Amino acid sequence: MATLGAGCAALPAPPVVAPHEGQPSPRPGLQQDRPAPGVLRPGDGLRLEVLSVDERSYPQLLVSATGQLHVPGLGDIEVAGLTLSQAEALIVERQRRVDAQARAVLYQVSQAGARVTVLGAVTRQGGYPLTPGMRMADAIGAAGGPLLAPPNSPSQAALPLADLSRAVVSRGGKALPIDLERALRGEAGHNVFAHPGDHIFVPPRREHVVSVLGQVGRPSVLVHHEGMRLTEALALAGGVTRDGDGADIRLLRGPPEAPQVFSASLAAIKAGKGRDATLAPGDVLFVTDQWLEDLREVMGVLMPLTSLASAALLIAIVSQ
Amino acid sequence: MFPSARFAALPRSGFPGVIGGLLMASVACGYPRPPAHPAAEVGEKKGAEDEGFEAAQVERPGMPSDAPHGFALAPGDTLAVELVSTETQNIEGLMLDGKGMIHLPLVGDVAVGGASLSEVEQVLTQAFHRFDRLAQVRVRLTGRGGQRATVLGAVEKQGPVELHPAARLTDLIAAAGGPLSTVTGPDPVTVADVSGAVVMRDGKALPVDMQRAMLGDPKHNIYVRPGDHVYVPPSRGMNITVLGQVGNPQLFVHREGLRLTQVLALAGGVTTGGDKDDIRVIRGTLLKPKVYTASLRDVVDGNSHDVVLQPGDIIFVTDHFIEDFSEVMAAITPALSLGLTSAALAITIQR
């Protein structure tokens, strides 16, 4: 049956690719990875208690964008980049110009200045406070993880819609050479410490679907997963219909400008002669019409004609 | 199963394909094949109609020297003033009015809008010196109601966003829940025109590109200031319409790389009555549309390429001629059979 068509005799069988045959990531990862130092940053919130002639307490002072802390009565003090105790010492020194016995205690009440921004295909986009020891995977976790697609069938796990391997982590205006896909698997050099101001953009996956159309129960677009097989995709699309030619299933692969066309046969797979194909992201499956279907269509149109003709013939005979 | 040799002479598409092909030659020949990629069309796109549109796409250079700015009081902020003299007086809840003024006892209205807290302390100390030479003034910020920027348009949560110091453009967008998106089949598609977003400051648009800011480019991911106004327009004319003989005619949001086969699968495939050899792609402006015809059969036979769709494309799957024919037949058969039956009846009665 597969030799029937003019075009399909020349079509090769689709290749079988073993899963996990992906190309090595071009991003080498970071060699040196240290957590960010624990210093004060613009946006941090501080509580100050001053013991001088009078006792004062300021529950919420914010470090400004330029790194200054305004202490009421003392003016602006540069604190960005200092540790908490260094900042405290500076405040005490200022206060002692007025009162030699003054004391001050500084507490950090918020680390809002240390934030990581996560945008793109994640569950909850937003800016998240950088907790001490936070790594890339934790940052993605704080944003609710990668966006998931509704599964192709209830028995399947939800599939990620985020292309983590193309995610961009920028720090200080430069992209880090790390691969978030590997970071989420916990690989050293990729799952690096997050720094304040890190900016993560996770693009959505693009060529991640398999389209199934032609003579199938439910023409549909399925989310591809690694190791997805032709038979699996056909089953998810409702199987080959009665009118479909199971012996000539076309597989389009490659760029739309010049796709390669393969032909697979369910009958051969059933008989153990052919191999099931492994699908690649972006593949298009097309189940061709059976020749009987074409014939049936023509017959369906001709049937009323023939019955009319025979009736007319009958009348002609009778009237004679 | 029939022995395949018996049918080897039958062409793949069968009888209707032959006639269909002949018919097609007369019907669809006027339309060219669509180019595989919209980019291939760029050369011929220089119509007078498109020029104005092209000119609107201005490259935004970004802001290379964007230093963070220090804290400045804005209308809506609330201050607490401690007046330290022979006795300490606490004045809480002083909100800056629309002109940046606060109202204090003795000294009256004082303009503090745009000043830092230290500057306010100096101004107030001087003002109070007229009444009390020993007075010391301590000022602290108790409400940040003025430290806001507004995000409107195609974002998840429109409205004002309270700015923390050193907030950048992406922090603002993130606080607004990110660009609005929807899901086409299994695809997340943003329905916001992110690169068309406008950042207004003091009545002027800043030359920044939100798309590049989202990727972390510091020239575009600028520091936001209180009062900044961001508008993210919805993407317009970005739909793809699928009509005609498909299982489920509908609209899809365009996204980069969407292919004809994929859109047909999303729309439930070509129905039995549809012509797989004549799928029209209508592209271009409303006044000067271009019509192409694509053949799904050629694509799956490897004789043609798939089509990458452009925003605004209309896909129309035409009726197969058999479908037209059978429709006509279905319409006239009852009449014909009625005629024949009455004729037969008449003949029978005559006899």
Side-chain angles (χ1 to χ4, degrees), chain B residues 91-254:
Chain B
I91 309 158
E92 303 257 353
L94 295 166
M95 190 187 272
L96 270 73
D97 66 11
K99 288 178 179 169
M101 315 281 271
I102 51 170
H103 185 78
L104 283 162
L106 294 177
V107 294
D109 288 343
V110 183
V112 294
S116 72
L117 292 174
S118 306
E119 284 162 1
V120 175
E121 281 178 349
Q122 284 164 16
V123 168
L124 291 184
T125 308
Q126 275 185 2
F128 277 112
H129 262 208
R130 280 170 51 208
F131 307 97
D132 182 353
R133 285 185 176 258
L134 296 170
Q136 258 199 327
V137 179
R138 297 174 190 154
V139 174
R140 64 200 154 90
L141 188 70
T142 52
R144 299 174 59 82
Q147 307 294 313
R148 286 181 183 200
T150 310
V151 188
L152 287 173
V155 291
E156 300 286 345
K157 294 189 296 283
Q158 303 185 72
V161 174
E162 189 164 310
L163 296 176
H164 65 87
R168 287 177 178 268
L169 193 52
T170 49
D171 294 323
L172 194 63
I173 293 301
L180 203 60
S181 64
T182 180
V183 173
T184 294
D187 266 330
V189 199
T190 171
V191 288
D193 180 8
V194 177
S195 53
V198 184
V199 185
M200 298 291 286
R201 176 175 297 170
D202 305 327
K204 278 181 194 152
L206 301 183
V208 293
D209 185 341
M210 181 86 77
Q211 186 82 53
R212 288 161 78 172
M214 296 268 284
L215 288 165
D217 186 337
K219 273 189 205 164
H220 296 273
N221 195 14
I222 51 164
Y223 290 104
V224 187
R225 294 190 191 168
D228 280 359
H229 202 102
V230 178
Y231 176 69
V232 183
S235 47
R236 282 183 205 284
M238 293 293 281
N239 286 328
I240 287 180
T241 316
V242 189
L243 285 172
Q245 293 282 358
V246 289
N248 194 5
Q250 57 186 296
L251 281 178
F252 298 104
V253 179
H254 175 264

Side-chain angles (χ1 to χ4, degrees), chain A residues 236-249:
Chain A
L236 285 169
V240 176
T241 59
R242 191 190 59 158
D243 299 328
D245 187 355
D248 187 14
I249 294 161

Side-chain angles (χ1 to χ4, degrees), chain A residues 37-80:
Chain A
V39 293
L40 294 174
R41 295 189 176 80
D44 281 348
L46 300 168
R47 180 157 65 93
L48 177 66
E49 279 168 14
V50 183
L51 298 161
S52 183
V53 278
D54 56 348
E55 196 178 316
R56 284 177 279 153
S57 171
Y58 302 107
Q60 182 76 37
L61 298 175
L62 279 184
V63 182
S64 76
T66 40
Q68 287 138 348
L69 184 73
H70 174 78
V71 180
L74 293 185
D76 292 337
I77 297 169
E78 296 277 346
V79 294

Side-chain angles (χ1 to χ4, degrees), chain A residues 46-212:
Chain A
L46 300 168
R47 180 157 65 93
L48 177 66
E49 279 168 14
V50 183
L51 298 161
S52 183
V53 278
D54 56 348
E55 196 178 316
R56 284 177 279 153
S57 171
Y58 302 107
Q60 182 76 37
L61 298 175
L62 279 184
V63 182
S64 76
T66 40
Q68 287 138 348
L69 184 73
H70 174 78
V71 180
L74 293 185
D76 292 337
I77 297 169
E78 296 277 346
V79 294
L82 304 181
T83 62
L84 202 59
S85 52
Q86 284 170 334
E88 191 184 86
L90 265 183
I91 294 169
V92 171
E93 189 204 309
R94 280 277 191 104
Q95 185 68 30
R96 286 197 175 164
R97 292 181 194 167
V98 196
D99 171 14
Q101 302 298 314
R103 285 189 193 181
V105 192
L106 199 59
Y107 304 90
Q108 188 157 7
V109 290
S110 105
Q111 293 189 324
R115 292 161 80 85
V116 178
T117 308
V118 189
L119 288 172
V122 290
T123 311
R124 289 186 304 274
Q125 306 184 79
Y128 294 94
L130 192 141
T131 50
M134 188 187 230
R135 287 174 180 270
M136 285 302 152
D138 304 321
I140 296 292
L147 203 62
L148 297 176
N152 292 326
S153 81
S155 58
Q156 268 188 335
L159 298 160
L161 281 176
D163 191 350
L164 285 168
S165 57
R166 284 199 300 125
V168 181
V169 182
S170 55
R171 178 176 294 172
K174 280 186 188 137
L176 295 184
I178 61 170
D179 183 344
L180 280 193
E181 179 89 59
R182 293 164 74 178
L184 254 62
R185 283 190 240 129
E187 277 186 48
H190 292 279
N191 193 18
V192 296
F193 285 107
H195 281 209
D198 274 2
H199 193 280
I200 303 173
F201 179 76
V202 183
R205 286 174 71 184
R206 274 311 174 217
E207 286 297 312
H208 66 295
V209 290
V210 171
S211 310
V212 190

